[in-house]
Amino acid sequence: MPKPTIVVVDDSPTVLHQLEHDLQRKYRDRFRIFEATSCQQAINQLQQMNVQNELVAAFLVDAQMPEMQGSDFLKVARALYPKAKCILLTTYEDSRATIQAINTSLIDYYIMKPWEPPEIHLYPALDDLLADWQAFYETSLIQLRLVGHRWSPQMHEIGDFLARNRIPYQWLYIENSSEANQVLAQLNLSQKNLPVVVCPDGSYLIRPSLVQLAEKIHLKTHAEQPFYDLIIIGSGPAGLAAGVYGASEGLHTLLIEQEASGGQAGTSSRIENYLGFPTGLSGNDLACRAVIQAKRFGAEIITPQKATKVRLDGQYRCVELSDGTELRCHVLVLACGVSYRRLDVSGIEHLTGKGVYYGGSITEAMACIDENVYIVGGANSAGQAAIYFAKYARHVTMLVRADSLAKDMSRYLIDQIASTNNIEVKTSTRVIAVQGKQHLESITIINDITQEGQTLPATALFIYIGAEPHTSWLKSVVQMDEKGFIVTGSDLVHEGQVPKGWLLNREPFHLETSVPGTFAVGDVRHGSVKRIAASVGEGSMAVMFVHRYLENSALRA
Ligand SMILES: Cc1cc2nc3c(=O)[nH]c(=O)nc-3n(C[C@H](O)[C@H](O)[C@H](O)COP(=O)(O)OP(=O)(O)OC[C@H]3O[C@@H](n4cnc5c(N)ncnc54)[C@H](O)[C@@H]3O)c2cc1C
């Protein structure tokens, strides 16, 4: 198999020569470098390589080529190699064109000319992008096949779990795929065995539980030790940040995650406002990076395991897991986040997972090719989903209760929605019922201003509303507000009075709950900002107070 190629296009022979030299110096062992002085020359070569199934890892293209803009070249190149990393070579004067390319999601990065010294201005960014491409490429080689019914909730749950844990797989619907029927026949199975997960080595699982599936795909499902300095419940951005800081500062750290690392952020198709990623990144990418970082420092992450109970035993905190195991620690960080509120309308329970989904855009988008998709919600997550679905669906309708998107959505998303032809926004509109026998067939909506009702045919309704904290299991443990968000720090102190049962002669630290040595961070915390950066900030900061708590406990002991 030939090495994957890095394609470099610049009309200046001097720049091209320098770039080729720098790339060869660092990457020649792993990649082939192909250089072209014209876009057309590069396109001809790419078409040939594509026919021969050769791999391309990255394009580095001058922003201002004489015959076409670098960004126009990248559109053609991306159609042939959708996963290759796209990098524009720019000058300070080209920055407007570069920003436009970023806004239209066309490029992954830009590098300013000249890039001397490459050790600072070229290699670090390229290393990162090539590692990302390599990770995608390696996982794409171990593709699982998921065979089942299109409207099976279990099929959806398995697909969602695989996608969110970054395991590539292929959906095969028994209703419309001859391959699905062939696979069943080869395995001597019938439709009553569905869904079935078939591994590349030919082994398979019939209607697996998520834990069985996790074990099959080599996720870590059990803790190595019974005791940790720090246990973090939830591995969304807040939990992962606490994990990175805790482990990097020498604490023996465990993260417990019930679904998939990355939390809500991991379900985002494109995060554009997280500092340091000017071209945006997918939630999956962010989660993947954070997981690697936490593990590199020695944090353990177990998935899928749900924390079901917490109790105190002297100076220790004990956490019971869904499989009955009990783990102990000095300090506990609750980073359990929130999930979408359930939509309480007639018919919805029966159709959840059969056309009605809470979140789930990345997983389901491919199943909605050329269909009409309805999205409920008017905040950023709904906006991102609409933009993502619009790439696959025929038409996307946003059903927004408020009278304008501006109430809850960031301006950059409102602008993107306005410029996407196949997204329609119906404001002052609510879903009041959903109908269907085996799966969703229609929805009934009402306009709150005109009171006009309509029943529309629909097969896909995605709900992105509200925020319900994952705290029902903590009710008798820590103090919460009336909506179930965990109260921390100075919010626990009223007129100088510490919370009931608080026995220490100090007030709770910032982010500390009503139970000493138990902290809450991120979206689950009362008064939190509900943004990735804020959650990461709180998770990181909490570790400082964890140390302070441990020092104080040691002093008292
Ligand atoms: C689709 C979408 C797009 C978004 N886009 C953006 C964006 O572009 N920019 C931005 O700033 N913000 C965005 N947000 C908001 C952002 O993702 C959240 O603010 C952030 O993820 C909160 O992080 P967290 O770690 O506090 O909680 P979460 O991300 O909710 O993570 C909590 C984790 O805890 C786990 N958990 C819960 N209970 C238990 C238990 N008992 N046992 C074990 N594990 C448990 C959950 O499974 C989950 O993985 C978006 C949100 C969504 C849903």
Side-chain angles (χ1 to χ4, degrees):
M1 182 90 173
K3 289 180 210 165
T5 303
I6 299 174
V7 175
V8 188
V9 189
D10 199 302
D11 60 319
S12 155
T14 323
V15 172
L16 202 58
H17 177 74
Q18 184 60 48
L19 191 53
E20 203 250 326
H21 171 266
D22 288 341
L23 293 175
Q24 290 286 8
R25 185 151 67 88
K26 169 100 186 186
Y27 301 110
R28 74 168 154 250
D29 291 347
R30 293 188 292 135
F31 296 96
R32 184 172 81 94
I33 316 294
F34 170 78
E35 74 263 27
T37 46
S38 85
C39 290
Q40 197 50 54
Q41 184 197 353
I43 290 169
N44 294 344
Q45 178 68 20
L46 285 174
Q47 284 166 339
Q48 264 186 34
M49 289 166 63
N50 199 258
V51 170
Q52 288 160 6
N53 283 330
E54 287 181 31
L55 298 170
V56 174
F59 300 104
L60 283 94
V61 186
D62 182 20
Q64 301 290 348
M65 291 294 287
E67 78 271 42
M68 64 162 75
Q69 295 281 315
S71 51
D72 290 331
F73 166 80
L74 287 174
K75 277 186 203 153
V76 181
R78 214 168 219 179
L80 292 166
Y81 287 97
K83 293 294 175 186
K85 298 293 171 188
C86 295
I87 301 140
L88 270 186
L89 298 167
T90 66
T91 55
Y92 182 71
E93 295 80 55
D94 296 334
S95 53
R96 274 184 66 168
T98 309
I99 287 167
Q100 208 189 347
I102 291 172
N103 285 340
T104 51
S105 326
L106 202 64
I107 62 168
D108 294 295
Y109 208 75
Y110 64 90
I111 286 171
M112 288 271 187
K113 292 192 263 187
W115 52 85
E116 287 302 319
E119 283 70 17
I120 293 177
H121 297 301
L122 179 66
Y123 298 149
L126 217 47
D127 282 350
D128 200 30
L129 291 165
L130 292 172
D132 197 31
W133 179 85
Q134 190 79 35
F136 156 78
Y137 172 65
E138 278 163 10
T139 46
S140 69
L141 295 177
I142 50 148
Q143 196 168 66
L144 303 174
R145 283 177 296 171
L146 171 55
V147 186
H149 291 289
R150 160 95 200 256
W151 304 112
S152 150
Q154 200 189 353
M155 175 92 165
H156 169 75
E157 185 188 41
I158 293 174
D160 196 45
F161 180 77
L162 290 172
R164 293 191 54 203
N165 281 290
R166 297 162 285 283
I167 306 295
Y169 68 96
Q170 192 187 4
W171 293 102
L172 293 175
Y173 293 128
I174 205 77
E175 289 86 355
N176 62 8
S177 156
S178 52
E179 193 182 342
N181 288 286
Q182 276 166 18
V183 171
L184 272 197
Q186 274 163 13
L187 299 176
N188 244 334
L189 298 175
S190 73
Q191 290 203 18
K192 66 175 190 302
N193 300 119
L194 297 176
V196 174
V197 178
V198 186
C199 302
D201 64 2
S203 61
Y204 59 90
L205 295 170
I206 295 173
R207 293 197 301 274
S209 69
L210 296 187
V211 174
Q212 286 171 325
L213 188 58
E215 278 163 0
K216 185 79 187 167
I217 57 179
H218 308 299
L219 290 180
K220 189 176 191 137
T221 52
H222 294 98
E224 280 170 19
Q225 311 287 334
F227 184 86
Y228 291 82
D229 295 325
L230 172 63
I231 291 186
I232 300 159
I233 298 178
S235 70
L240 285 165
V244 166
Y245 276 79
S248 67
E249 290 171 17
L251 297 174
H252 189 203
T253 302
L254 174 76
L255 289 102
I256 300 167
E257 171 53 53
Q258 64 182 4
E259 288 169 5
S261 291
Q264 297 168 72
T267 67
S268 168
S269 47
R270 193 162 139 88
I271 298 161
E272 296 189 59
N273 53 5
Y274 189 55
L275 188 74
F277 293 87
T279 54
L281 80 172
S282 72
N284 239 318
D285 190 3
L286 181 68
C288 187
R289 285 160 191 265
V291 165
I292 293 172
Q293 204 173 5
K295 288 186 179 166
R296 187 165 74 82
F297 287 122
E300 248 181 77
I301 306 179
I302 53 171
T303 325
Q305 280 286 3
K306 184 174 179 153
T308 51
K309 237 183 236 169
V310 172
R311 68 180 178 86
L312 294 180
D313 180 6
Q315 66 194 100
Y316 304 117
R317 275 112 205 87
C318 310
V319 181
E320 193 175 308
L321 303 183
S322 40
D323 67 358
T325 321
E326 189 176 83
L327 302 168
R328 293 170 153 240
C329 60
H330 282 305
V331 187
L332 188 64
V333 170
L334 302 168
C336 336
V338 302
S339 53
Y340 296 114
R341 193 161 49 73
R342 301 277 123 174
L343 185 65
D344 187 15
V345 300
S346 149
I348 202 139
E349 279 304 316
H350 157 64
L351 294 171
T352 300
K354 302 176 189 167
V356 174
Y357 304 100
Y358 290 88
S361 59
I362 298 176
T363 317
E364 291 297 326
M366 296 303 285
C368 294
I369 290 175
D370 282 339
E371 293 191 0
N372 293 332
V373 164
Y374 290 88
I375 289 181
V376 181
N380 282 2
S381 53
Q384 282 181 10
I387 293 162
Y388 190 72
F389 272 113
K391 291 184 191 154
Y392 301 92
R394 186 186 312 133
H395 191 80
V396 176
T397 310
M398 296 189 73
L399 305 168
V400 182
R401 201 169 54 169
D403 59 6
S404 138
L405 281 183
K407 284 222 161 99
D408 290 311
M409 197 178 286
S410 300
R411 174 49 55 189
Y412 78 95
L413 285 170
I414 297 176
D415 292 345
Q416 285 179 30
I417 288 170
S419 63
T420 308
N421 291 335
N422 59 340
I423 303 182
E424 176 190 357
V425 182
K426 284 184 189 287
T427 52
S428 306
T429 302
R430 281 180 299 126
V431 177
I432 53 168
V434 296
Q435 300 88 17
K437 284 196 180 118
Q438 305 300 324
H439 61 85
L440 181 70
E441 290 168 27
S442 59
I443 61 172
T444 305
I445 59 172
I446 188 161
N447 181 298
D448 281 331
I449 296 171
T450 61
Q451 293 306 315
E452 194 191 327
Q454 257 182 309
T455 296
L456 306 163
T459 48
L461 179 73
F462 293 89
I463 300 165
Y464 297 82
I465 52 166
E468 249 172 35
H470 291 139
T471 51
S472 53
W473 62 288
L474 289 165
K475 261 186 190 131
S476 53
V477 184
V478 290
Q479 194 168 308
M480 297 180 202
D481 67 12
E482 65 291 351
K483 290 188 175 151
F485 289 92
I486 302 173
V487 182
T488 55
S490 57
D491 288 335
L492 288 163
V493 183
H494 300 287
E495 294 168 359
Q497 292 297 305
V498 289
K500 216 170 136 203
W502 182 267
L503 299 176
L504 305 183
N505 57 3
R506 63 165 174 86
E507 292 188 356
F509 292 133
H510 184 49
L511 306 175
E512 195 171 24
T513 68
S514 54
V515 177
T518 300
F519 295 80
V521 293
D523 280 14
V524 77
R525 197 178 65 79
H526 165 84
S528 61
V529 177
K530 316 278 183 292
R531 286 283 187 272
I532 296 167
S535 298
V536 167
E538 289 189 9
S540 320
M541 210 189 327
V543 173
M544 185 181 99
F545 295 107
V546 167
H547 283 300
R548 213 175 276 177
Y549 168 81
L550 289 172
E551 280 158 21
N552 281 7
S553 314
L555 282 176
R556 281 205 332 276

